Amino acid sequence: MFIKIGLRIVNNKSIPLRFNFGDILIPELVEADRQILWNGDCIRPEGTLDSDFPLAMPGESLTFFQDITIFGLKDNQFGLSIFAPNGFHWISEPLRLGTYYVRFTYINTMEVVTRYSSINTDTKSEESFWIGQVSTPFVEIRLVSSS
């Protein structure tokens, strides 16, 4: 089962700003008072695309959608899987039926980002990135039995 969570950003500055959706959206998953752990690994050797670094003009908004896959495991357990555009694959620890909350945190500490292509050795620098940290509100996900 696929679900989409969108992140909408408005550029409230007087200058154009870039945002990095390639690899700096960090997922957080909680159940009541317990934080669920994520494991991950880079499983696709792909570079980021130009569309992962959109430019927002002053007053303009951008929306980025993150796909989350819910998959079944054995013994009424489930997992959440998220593929980042840079090829990183986040996988939750096993989950049981119940209510969970997920959110994403955008963290960027660099005004200039240099990226590479996995297909060749070319590098490309992008400038004027928004610097800071912001988290989305938590979104509720309920894993329930279909019977």
Side-chain angles (χ1 to χ4, degrees), residues 3-63:
I3 57 175
K4 284 187 177 278
I5 294 180
L7 174 65
R8 183 172 173 254
I9 296 174
V10 178
N11 180 359
N12 290 323
K13 301 286 185 178
S14 60
I15 59 171
L17 292 172
R18 286 200 181 280
F19 294 87
N20 181 352
F21 294 135
D23 62 357
I24 58 175
L25 285 177
I26 301 167
E28 183 180 357
L29 183 66
V30 296
E31 170 192 41
D33 295 330
R34 181 175 78 99
Q35 183 167 344
I36 307 299
L37 300 178
W38 293 93
N39 296 309
D41 198 1
C42 192
I43 63 170
R44 294 181 296 162
E46 298 174 4
T48 51
L49 304 173
D50 288 341
S51 60
D52 297 328
F53 302 97
L55 179 68
M57 301 306 285
E60 184 179 44
S61 67
L62 301 170
T63 304

Side-chain angles (χ1 to χ4, degrees), residues 67-123:
D67 293 331
I68 299 177
T69 303
I70 300 173
F71 58 94
L73 300 168
K74 63 180 182 173
D75 299 328
N76 246 356
Q77 291 185 336
F78 300 87
L80 296 182
S81 173
I82 301 170
F83 281 101
N86 70 344
F88 200 82
H89 185 195
W90 298 91
I91 301 173
S92 73
E93 67 182 38
L95 307 173
R96 298 219 176 262
L97 297 178
T99 302
Y100 298 88
Y101 300 90
V102 64
R103 74 174 175 184
F104 291 91
T105 298
Y106 176 99
I107 301 172
N108 186 38
T109 60
M110 300 179 295
E111 190 173 342
V112 177
V113 173
T114 301
R115 57 194 177 104
Y116 68 94
S117 169
S118 61
I119 299 169
N120 56 46
T121 58
D122 294 342
T123 61

